[in-house]
Amino acid sequence: MRLTVPMRVVAALLLVGFMWLMWLLASTLFGWQSGSFVHHLFNGASQEPTVAEVRPRRYKCGLSAACPPKHLAFRLVSGAANVIGPKICLEDKMLLSSVKNNIGRGLNIALVNGVTGELLETKTFDMWEGDVSDLLKYLRLLHEGTLVFVASFDDPATKLNAESRRLFEELGSTAIKNLAFRDSWVFVGAKGIENKSPFEQRMKNSKNSNKYEGWPESLEMDGCIPLRPLVVV
């Protein structure tokens, strides 16, 4: 008597053989083990990526990449009109912000030790109704190597005079010459800098281009600042 093999058995054998060949191919191309092959076969193709897989990595102060060693990560945000205050972040620590309740109309300044990265002081200067002599005394007393972070809010320039502009120029600013009523301005300079600072932005107050009715848009700037080497005398 001749025995015939049912067609469904033949089909099952062919399917098993096909799956085995697929596993061999996957093992060769991707280095899968047999267990992971089964997992990919039944789960991998349709599985959604986890939150950890799709979430972008976050660096200090929200930078898109980490700073090199012996560099300080920073982010400056100027005020939006006269409503939203400015922010100064350094090494993932907020130095100035509305939440900290230490910002004000005019120039918001944070002083940082250029060797250690330590915060020295924060202060605001009202450039609309304030006394520019307070700002002059402040800038004149800066020590060599001090980093100066500045973010504007509302009006940064009405009270500025020739000497105050010159003192900011000595810190590396180029925009200070033309900084005017209600301009947006962010700047990082240093006492004793030899060249012009690469960290500066200015947005001119203009009726034709203002984002807000009487103010230009807020500026945002970030980057990495090298620490100064410690000089032993």
Side-chain angles (χ1 to χ4, degrees):
M1 180 185 298
R2 297 180 60 187
L3 297 177
T4 60
V5 181
M7 291 299 296
R8 67 176 59 185
V9 175
V10 174
L13 291 174
L14 289 175
L15 178 61
V16 171
F18 176 75
M19 291 174 65
W20 180 255
L21 289 175
M22 287 292 292
W23 176 79
L24 289 176
L25 179 61
S27 299
T28 303
L29 294 178
F30 302 104
W32 287 351
Q33 300 298 320
S34 58
S36 63
F37 167 70
V38 174
H39 174 77
H40 277 267
L41 181 64
F42 292 103
N43 300 311
S46 60
Q47 187 174 13
E48 293 294 328
T50 65
V51 174
E53 291 172 335
V54 299
R55 180 184 298 160
R57 185 171 179 180
R58 183 186 179 280
Y59 297 94
K60 292 179 180 179
C61 292
L63 270 65
S64 59
C67 289
K70 297 183 179 180
H71 283 66
L72 300 174
F74 76 91
R75 181 182 297 275
L76 299 180
V77 183
S78 66
N82 62 347
V83 179
I84 303 175
K87 298 178 183 178
I88 298 180
C89 175
L90 183 70
E91 286 293 287
D92 234 16
K93 295 179 181 179
M94 198 63 68
L95 307 185
L96 277 159
S97 71
S98 298
V99 174
K100 293 180 69 69
N101 196 30
N102 61 349
I103 56 97
R105 177 176 62 186
L107 299 177
N108 294 263
I109 301 178
L111 302 183
V112 174
N113 187 309
V115 175
T116 65
E118 176 189 3
L119 174 64
L120 301 175
E121 185 180 9
T122 63
K123 201 169 182 66
T124 65
F125 297 91
D126 189 340
M127 293 288 99
W128 174 249
E129 293 181 327
D131 188 344
V132 71
S133 63
D134 295 334
L135 176 63
L136 293 175
K137 293 174 185 177
Y138 192 74
L139 297 178
R140 289 170 187 158
L141 294 175
L142 293 179
H143 295 291
E144 189 79 8
T146 301
L147 296 173
V148 183
F149 296 78
V150 186
S152 68
F153 184 29
D154 191 356
D155 174 33
T158 295
K159 291 288 185 176
L160 289 178
N161 60 12
E163 184 180 358
S164 59
R165 292 178 188 273
R166 178 181 59 79
L167 290 171
F168 276 116
E169 282 188 71
E170 293 176 357
L171 298 174
S173 173
T174 55
I176 193 66
K177 290 182 179 180
N178 301 311
L179 191 67
F181 173 66
R182 288 187 177 178
D183 287 355
S184 290
W185 183 45
V186 287
F187 167 67
V188 183
K191 180 68 174 179
I193 190 171
E194 296 181 358
N195 301 305
K196 301 304 180 183
S197 171
F199 302 116
E200 183 172 32
Q201 293 181 18
R202 171 190 171 230
M203 179 68 71
K204 182 177 175 56
N205 171 24
S206 171
K207 292 182 179 180
N208 297 327
S209 60
N210 280 350
K211 181 175 182 179
Y212 310 104
E213 183 177 352
W215 293 267
E217 65 181 304
S218 174
L219 291 174
E220 186 169 342
M221 178 177 69
D222 59 34
C224 304
I225 300 176
L227 289 169
R228 292 169 61 96
L230 178 62
V231 178
V232 179
V233 180

